[in-house]
């Protein structure tokens, strides 16, 4: 196939932004469904090198850690998410919902939002797919030339929603710790923001702050 030769001959390099599916389909004389399927075959699933910090945390307390995720592309940004990402309300995002499991039971939830235009057409467009799957925002963004300089974490207590309580196996309106986590690039553009929810009875928040002289 011509596209495969293009990759083999290094015309397309890792991290390059690809043309749209419509453009690729027109170039190679195929439909968008064929292009989408080809992309799925060219972007294999894989685990993050070095393992997961969550799994390490679970192992430290004698539990088996794992996670499940579901990604939806081209989701319009709600007003609060748009404000955190510095984009307009309704701009398209890649949204990934995670369930973090301890011994097979959900113990933490997280919903990640990334601006669609930032990664569309690259090998890091889907956080849990591709050659950089599961590597985390810092490494994935570095693969397309974006340097993440810092993150801001805003924890607050609140009551669980009915859906959160059902997934986490806690009583409705039980206290949870809701953490708003936003990464920023060295250009000031947030490449990702996330909402993390942990039952208050199951978490301890500890900060380590480096002192520079």
């Amino acid at each position: 196939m011509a596209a495969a030769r293009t990759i083999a001959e290094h015309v397309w390099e890792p991290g390059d932004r690809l043309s749209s599916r419509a453009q690729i389909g027109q170039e190679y004389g195929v439909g968008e469904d064929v292009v989408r399927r080809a992309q799925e075959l060219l972007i294999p699933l894989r685990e993050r090198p070095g393992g997961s910090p969550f799994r390490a945390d679970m192992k430290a307390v004698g539990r088996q850690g794992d996670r499940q995720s579901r990604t939806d592309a081209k989701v319009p940004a709600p007003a609060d998410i748009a404000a955190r990402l510095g984009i307009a309300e309704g701009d398209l995002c890649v949204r990934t919902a995670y369930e973090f499991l301890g011994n097979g039971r959900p113990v933490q939830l997280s919903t990640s939002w990334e601006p669609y235009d930032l990664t569309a057409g690259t090998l890091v467009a889907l956080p849990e797919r591709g050659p950089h799957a599961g590597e985390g925002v810092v490494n994935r963004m570095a693969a397309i030339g974006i340097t993440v300089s810092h993150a801001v974490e805003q924890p607050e207590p609140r009551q669980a929603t009915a859906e959160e309580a059902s997934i986490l196996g806690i009583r409705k309106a039980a206290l949870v710790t809701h953490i708003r986590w936003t990464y920023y690039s060295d250009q000031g553009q947030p490449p990702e923001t996330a909402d993390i929810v942990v039952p208050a009875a199951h978490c301890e928040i500890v900060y380590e702050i480096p002192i520079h002289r």
Side-chain angles (χ1 to χ4, degrees):
M1 180 179 177
R5 287 198 304 272
T6 303
I7 295 170
E9 293 167 2
H10 300 286
V11 177
W12 289 346
E13 296 284 355
D16 283 353
R17 184 180 293 271
L18 302 180
S19 304
S20 70
R21 286 176 181 164
Q23 290 171 321
I24 294 173
Q26 184 176 12
E27 182 178 354
Y28 293 105
V30 296
E32 289 190 40
D33 287 343
V34 174
V35 177
R36 181 174 62 251
R37 179 56 181 157
Q39 288 175 333
E40 291 172 353
L41 292 172
L42 288 169
I43 302 178
L45 286 167
R46 81 173 171 86
E47 286 289 328
R48 172 168 45 181
S52 160
F54 175 76
R55 289 193 179 96
D57 290 344
M58 288 292 99
K59 185 176 181 180
V61 295
R63 292 188 182 186
Q64 172 92 23
D66 202 354
R67 71 179 183 185
Q68 299 174 345
S69 66
R70 174 179 174 175
T71 296
D72 296 297
K74 298 186 179 182
V75 178
D80 61 325
I81 296 299
R84 285 153 59 177
L85 288 174
I87 60 178
E89 181 179 356
D91 280 359
L92 299 180
C93 289
V94 176
R95 180 184 64 195
T96 304
Y98 294 92
E99 289 184 20
F100 292 86
L101 312 175
N103 288 348
R105 299 181 61 181
V107 295
Q108 176 180 311
L109 306 176
S110 178
T111 303
S112 161
W113 298 78
E114 299 179 0
Y116 177 79
D117 285 345
L118 196 64
T119 60
T122 74
L123 294 176
V124 301
L126 303 179
E128 299 300 320
R129 299 291 298 270
H132 300 282
E135 289 187 8
V137 174
V138 175
N139 289 337
R140 288 176 49 248
M141 294 301 152
I144 57 172
I146 297 173
T147 301
V148 175
S149 60
H150 66 287
V152 174
E153 184 179 87
Q154 298 172 279
E156 66 176 6
R158 65 166 172 80
Q159 293 181 321
T161 66
E163 181 180 8
E164 290 166 348
S166 176
I167 296 172
L168 292 168
I170 58 179
R171 63 180 178 82
K172 185 178 178 181
L175 283 180
V176 296
T177 299
H178 176 191
I179 302 170
R180 293 180 177 87
W181 176 283
T182 304
Y183 282 106
Y184 291 86
S185 74
D186 57 358
Q187 302 298 313
Q189 170 67 48
E192 190 240 28
T193 192
D195 290 286
I196 302 167
V197 177
V198 189
H202 297 171
C203 74
E204 177 184 40
I205 299 176
V206 178
Y207 291 96
E208 179 177 333
I209 302 174
I211 304 298
H212 300 288
R213 294 184 180 180

